[in-house]
């Protein structure tokens, strides 16, 4: 990991980006001082169907995983989500700690839950389309107790991230995309599918990885997570294996060209503004 961390420092310099990269991984040990939701009430499809699920308790302890990630970014620390400390029923599902999803999830994302959430988020036009999305992206059961988000420079050879994440405005994201395209030659490499903020950080990347596809996943379009992101900011996620290839390809890429230098000057003017 030392080489990856050193090469990442060079990449950040070339990009003109002042926030480091992050990693996401699963572990059985909760990092000390991690930002995480409070312990929630038991949650499952079985309890829901028996009408024994305490929905008031679920919503009273609501805590978006993207919010905890935002706090971790500010403090250069870690954030976690788990089966017991889930904060959000959607986040629990997308991280692999709630399977199957609750019946009310598709209603919550679309037209609303009668008597609980009358209007809904209106991110999908119907519960049926929301359910089709959740079935398609269905995450594997979490392999360990905690899903951990933390700065890349806090990983080591014994603790490797599964995915590498950047948060940045468009120009830097385009620079990363350019490097990824150059590395792979795959003109269909970059995907930006529908999903919650956390879906595009972990669930969609896992979806492609488990299908044997090396893809870049962009995110941040979820309106609910925008309050925990900088203006115009998006997320960029790749597997560790693809990221290592990108770092090796970097010196010969367009990031060392006049074209990128023009973009860099634009970035610097934007920072001043």
């Amino acid at each position: 990991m030392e080489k990856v961390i050193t090469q990442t420092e060079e990449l950040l310099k070339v990009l003109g980006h002042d926030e480091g990269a992050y990693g996401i991984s699963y572990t059985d040990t909760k990092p000390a001082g991690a930002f995480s939701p409070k312990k929630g009430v038991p949650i499952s499809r079985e309890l829901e169907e028996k009408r024994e699920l305490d929905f008031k308790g679920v919503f009273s302890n609501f805590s978006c995983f993207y919010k905890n990630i935002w706090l971790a970014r500010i403090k250069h620390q870690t954030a976690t989500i788990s089966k017991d400390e889930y904060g959000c029923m959607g986040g629990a599902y997308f991280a692999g700690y709630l399977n199957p999803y609750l019946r009310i999830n598709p209603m919550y994302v679309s037209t609303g839950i009668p008597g609980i959430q009358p209007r809904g988020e209106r991110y999908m036009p119907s519960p049926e389309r929301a359910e089709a999305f959740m079935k398609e992206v269905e995450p594997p059961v979490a392999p360990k107790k905690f899903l951990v988000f933390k700065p890349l420079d806090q990983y080591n050879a014994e603790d490797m991230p599964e995915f590498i994440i950047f948060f940045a405005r468009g120009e830097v994201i385009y620079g990363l995309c350019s490097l990824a395209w150059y590395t792979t030659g795959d003109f269909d490499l970059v995907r930006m599918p529908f999903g919650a903020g956390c879906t595009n950080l972990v669930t969609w990347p896992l979806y492609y990885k488990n299908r044997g596809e090396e893809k870049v996943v962009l995110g941040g379009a979820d309106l609910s997570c925008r309050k925990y992101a900088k203006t115009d900011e998006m997320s960029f996620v790749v597997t560790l294996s693809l990221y290592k290839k990108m770092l090796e390809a970097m010196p010969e890429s367009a990031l060392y060209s006049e074209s990128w230098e023009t973009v860099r000057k634009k970035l610097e003017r934007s920072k001043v503004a």
Side-chain angles (χ1 to χ4, degrees):
M1 279 301 294
E2 287 185 16
K3 182 178 180 182
V4 170
I5 292 169
T6 300
Q7 289 175 311
T8 298
E9 292 173 354
E10 175 62 22
L11 174 60
L12 292 171
K13 289 179 184 177
V14 173
L15 290 170
H17 190 46
D18 54 9
E19 182 174 2
Y22 298 87
I24 270 191
S25 54
Y26 285 95
T27 179
D28 283 326
T29 304
K30 183 178 180 179
F35 290 96
S36 60
K38 295 179 181 178
K39 185 174 181 178
V41 300
I43 182 171
S44 69
R45 172 82 69 84
E46 182 180 6
L47 288 172
E48 181 187 35
E49 293 181 340
K50 289 181 178 180
R51 298 181 180 275
E52 295 177 0
L53 182 54
D54 178 9
F55 284 111
K56 184 177 180 180
V58 170
F59 286 101
S60 65
N61 279 328
F62 182 86
S63 180
C64 175
F65 187 40
Y66 218 87
K67 174 186 176 181
N68 288 291
I69 285 174
W70 173 247
L71 295 172
R73 289 173 59 193
I74 293 171
K75 298 290 187 180
H76 198 68
Q77 294 181 13
T78 61
T80 67
I81 188 171
S82 67
K83 183 176 181 179
D84 297 324
E85 299 173 342
Y86 54 86
C88 165
M89 56 188 179
Y93 176 68
F94 294 125
Y97 293 107
L98 172 63
N99 195 312
Y101 55 85
L102 299 183
R103 295 290 188 191
I104 67 168
N105 277 63
M107 293 185 282
Y108 184 88
V109 173
S110 58
T111 54
I113 308 167
I116 298 177
Q117 182 216 28
R119 179 171 171 77
E121 291 185 310
R122 303 286 163 147
Y123 295 155
M124 277 280 122
S126 68
E128 290 75 21
R129 289 310 300 155
E131 186 168 20
F133 151 68
M134 297 185 80
K135 286 180 177 178
E136 177 63 27
V137 77
E138 183 178 11
V141 175
K144 296 184 179 180
K145 293 180 180 178
F146 299 94
L147 174 62
V148 174
F149 166 94
K150 66 180 179 180
L152 182 61
D153 59 17
Q154 293 183 15
Y155 281 92
N156 54 50
E158 289 74 41
D159 174 31
M160 305 284 276
E162 189 152 4
F163 300 105
I164 305 299
I165 302 169
F166 287 85
F167 296 96
R169 295 174 66 183
E171 303 292 358
V172 171
I173 294 291
Y174 305 149
L176 288 165
C177 288
S178 177
L179 175 57
W181 282 316
Y182 175 77
T183 301
T184 64
D186 180 1
F187 41 78
D188 187 33
L189 177 69
V190 180
R191 304 286 179 87
M192 192 174 184
F194 169 82
C198 57
T199 316
N200 289 49
L201 290 183
V202 62
T203 324
W204 278 116
L206 277 171
Y207 172 90
Y208 293 118
K209 181 179 180 181
N210 291 339
R211 286 160 57 110
E213 299 181 50
E214 274 193 333
K215 297 295 179 184
V216 168
V217 178
L218 301 185
D222 172 22
L223 301 186
S224 294
C225 81
R226 292 307 306 170
K227 56 181 169 285
Y228 307 122
K230 298 174 185 177
T231 302
D232 300 330
E233 182 179 81
M234 295 185 288
S235 59
F236 174 102
V237 185
V238 292
T239 61
L240 177 61
S241 60
L242 176 52
Y243 184 61
K244 287 180 177 179
K245 295 174 189 175
M246 288 168 58
L247 293 173
E248 294 301 321
M250 179 173 59
E252 301 299 323
S253 74
L255 293 184
Y256 289 84
S257 71
E258 185 178 341
S259 295
W260 179 249
E261 189 57 35
T262 301
V263 178
R264 275 291 308 271
K265 290 177 182 178
K266 185 178 178 181
L267 279 167
E268 293 307 317
R269 290 196 300 270
S270 178
K271 287 180 181 179
V272 172

